[in-house]
Amino acid sequence: MHRGLRGAKVETTHNSMKDMMKQITDMSALADAFQAVRRNRGCGGVDKVSIARFERHLDCHLTELSRMLREGQYQPLPVRRVLIPKLNGATRPLGIPAVRDRVVQQAVLTAVQPLVEPLFSEASYGFRPRRSALQAVQKVQECLDQGYVYVVDADIKDFFGTLHHQVLMDKVRQAIPDRAVTRLIWQFLTAGIMEEGTVRNAEAGTPQGGVISPLLANLYLNEFDRKAANREWKLVRYADDFVILCKSVNAAGAALKKAREILGTLHLELAEEKTRLTEYAQGFDFLGYRFQRYHGNYKWPRRKAVAAFKDKVRRHTRRQQPKNVAMVITKLNPVIRGWGHYFKYGNVKNRYRELDGWIRMRLRSFIAKQKQASGNWRYPNAHFRKLGLCSLTDLLTYQPTLSLP
């Protein structure tokens, strides 16, 4: 009886593997994949075809993609590399696949995610269904409250750029025993990169910006999550960003040594200038929050998070633009809500009040410039509330409980 049930399970898995490419090439699946790409927006790839242009002949494009995939003729285009400026003056490379390739990647992701998701560790929070950065933040706080106050604050050196293709494909084949699907994933990895008009081979890494890249990153680091597990410490990882929390300084040293060893077997290394042993009283940053014990347990937005938020507000309230203040507020509100809802679980009451005042000051300056007038007193707080301006302070009144898996 037991052998029969196990045989039935194996047969079911085999059948689901046989149907995976059929699922990916199905027109309704590709249509759903396009809608997901459309919601995520973004610009065109090396073929310069935008989402709007792709949509104008959507049925033709999807029919052709389905045919090429079924007949084994599909070949992804090279990704277009752009450099995104960071607050410290450095840049972050972003690989932008063509819209057609993003659609195929999304269809593959939809098909394989249910298969690989159960394989992942509880320590992993990034880019997974029903998991979020805020849950990772809450887990870190929970561990700190339980006495895990010695911290390995680490950073993987150029993870997305150095990810070893052969190591990754070994893990992909173990998790997805469908040759046609694993061949597609290999094609995504080796499609090449176009930068300044020249295409070069991608010998390592997976492009940040690819739809399927986060899932591949989790699959690659799942071995690290499993082997780094220990009774003496707690690992919390979000994509390539992680902390290990321990109850003693000796355990923290052992955890750091173990992390280096495991990453070495994966052809990865820690960025030594960004890796350190610290403790709660001295403070550390993780996922935009600053954690630090100061007459109690505290966390708040790190300085870089506040600076990035202010930069976005400045861009929307710059005075040289053909908009009225109501239009500016319409653009500004989603920025305020998104940032405010993420950081409202910290000790932010005073900071939110300060930022609310600063935002209103920016709007007053915007109005004064347009009307060639002066005197900020002419526009009281109630004026902006009447125009629909979102307040960071008001967001603090509703704080739903974050359920941890």
Side-chain angles (χ1 to χ4, degrees):
M1 180 70 175
H2 176 71
R3 284 199 302 269
L5 287 173
R6 187 171 61 184
K9 184 177 180 181
V10 170
E11 184 179 350
T12 301
T13 304
H14 177 71
N15 288 337
S16 65
M17 290 298 96
K18 274 180 66 177
D19 294 340
M20 189 169 287
M21 274 305 293
K22 186 176 180 181
Q23 176 185 340
I24 291 168
T25 59
D26 182 77
M27 284 292 290
S28 62
L30 289 171
D32 290 343
F34 171 76
Q35 292 304 323
V37 170
R38 187 170 177 269
R39 285 193 297 271
N40 291 330
R41 297 183 293 182
C43 54
V46 296
D47 59 357
K48 298 182 181 179
V49 175
S50 66
I51 292 175
R53 182 177 165 190
F54 190 91
E55 189 173 17
R56 282 199 290 270
H57 304 284
L58 184 60
D59 286 344
C60 291
H61 288 309
L62 297 186
T63 300
E64 181 64 5
L65 281 177
S66 178
R67 182 193 66 77
M68 289 191 296
L69 287 165
R70 289 195 314 272
E71 296 176 3
Q73 296 178 2
Y74 169 78
Q75 178 64 49
L77 298 171
V79 300
R80 181 167 68 89
R81 170 161 287 186
V82 296
L83 299 177
I84 307 299
K86 298 168 71 174
L87 287 174
N88 61 5
T91 58
R92 177 172 64 91
L94 189 68
I96 303 174
V99 174
R100 66 190 281 273
D101 297 329
R102 298 211 293 273
V103 171
V104 176
Q105 286 192 28
Q106 181 63 51
V108 173
L109 176 66
T110 301
V112 304
Q113 191 164 47
L115 184 70
V116 300
E117 178 63 25
L119 305 176
F120 293 151
S121 163
E122 291 295 308
S124 169
Y125 288 84
F127 306 104
R128 297 180 60 188
R130 297 175 297 281
R131 287 186 164 233
S132 68
L134 274 175
Q135 289 176 328
V137 167
Q138 183 180 347
K139 184 64 178 180
V140 168
Q141 188 63 64
E142 178 187 289
C143 293
L144 292 169
D145 294 343
Q146 292 172 354
Y148 293 87
V149 294
Y150 294 90
V151 182
V152 177
D153 184 10
D155 186 86
I156 301 175
K157 185 177 180 180
D158 189 20
F159 170 70
F160 284 95
T162 59
L163 184 149
H164 195 282
H165 283 174
Q166 197 55 56
V167 172
L168 173 60
M169 287 309 300
D170 287 345
K171 297 179 183 303
V172 167
R173 292 185 187 101
Q174 289 172 17
I176 309 168
D178 183 292
R179 280 188 166 186
V181 176
T182 57
R183 179 175 175 269
L184 268 179
I185 292 173
W186 175 250
Q187 287 179 303
F188 295 143
L189 289 175
T190 57
I193 299 165
M194 177 173 281
E195 191 171 14
E196 297 180 350
T198 302
V199 177
R200 63 177 176 83
N201 293 332
E203 297 178 355
T206 181
Q208 285 182 272
V211 175
I212 203 168
S213 294
L215 181 135
L216 297 180
N218 280 332
L219 194 58
Y220 197 92
L221 288 173
N222 192 47
E223 181 180 345
F224 171 75
D225 298 339
R226 300 292 183 185
K227 290 185 176 179
N230 191 294
R231 293 180 181 178
E232 294 187 61
W233 57 70
K234 304 288 185 180
L235 168 69
V236 180
R237 182 178 65 80
Y238 189 93
D240 59 331
D241 197 0
F242 71 90
V243 289
I244 304 176
L245 303 110
C246 311
K247 287 192 173 182
S248 71
V249 67
N250 289 338
L256 177 56
K257 181 180 178 182
K258 183 73 170 177
R260 279 201 182 98
E261 291 174 355
I262 300 168
L263 291 173
T265 65
L266 296 172
H267 301 272
L268 298 171
E269 57 183 294
L270 293 174
E272 295 301 330
E273 70 279 7
K274 297 180 181 179
T275 299
R276 64 188 182 121
L277 295 180
T278 187
E279 55 183 304
Y280 194 10
Q282 295 174 346
F284 64 97
D285 298 331
F286 185 61
L287 297 181
Y289 272 90
R290 177 72 177 176
F291 295 82
Q292 189 164 4
R293 174 174 283 163
Y294 182 75
H295 302 300
N297 295 340
Y298 285 92
K299 61 181 180 290
W300 58 88
R302 61 184 295 202
R303 290 180 182 177
K304 287 184 178 180
V306 175
F309 173 68
K310 282 189 166 185
D311 280 347
K312 288 182 180 179
V313 173
R314 286 190 188 98
R315 284 197 296 272
H316 284 297
T317 57
R318 65 190 188 281
R319 291 178 290 183
Q320 289 78 22
Q321 55 177 322
K323 295 179 181 178
N324 60 40
V325 69
M327 296 166 68
V328 170
I329 287 173
T330 299
K331 292 288 187 180
L332 199 56
N333 277 343
V335 175
I336 296 171
R337 289 194 190 97
W339 195 87
H341 279 304
Y342 183 76
F343 287 106
K344 69 182 181 180
Y345 298 93
N347 306 86
V348 293
K349 186 176 181 180
N350 292 335
R351 174 51 63 92
Y352 274 21
R353 188 181 296 120
E354 171 194 322
L355 287 170
D356 278 338
W358 178 79
I359 292 168
R360 290 191 294 265
M361 179 273 292
R362 293 282 308 178
L363 290 171
R364 289 184 180 110
S365 297
F366 175 84
I367 297 172
K369 177 69 175 178
Q370 286 202 326
K371 294 188 175 183
Q372 298 296 315
S374 61
N376 283 343
W377 57 269
R378 296 182 181 180
Y379 309 102
N381 296 352
H383 175 73
F384 298 109
R385 187 177 293 274
K386 187 176 180 180
L387 289 172
L389 178 65
C390 179
S391 164
L392 286 168
T393 306
D394 288 347
L395 299 178
L396 296 173
T397 59
Y398 175 62
Q399 293 199 355
T401 302
L402 294 172
S403 59
L404 286 173

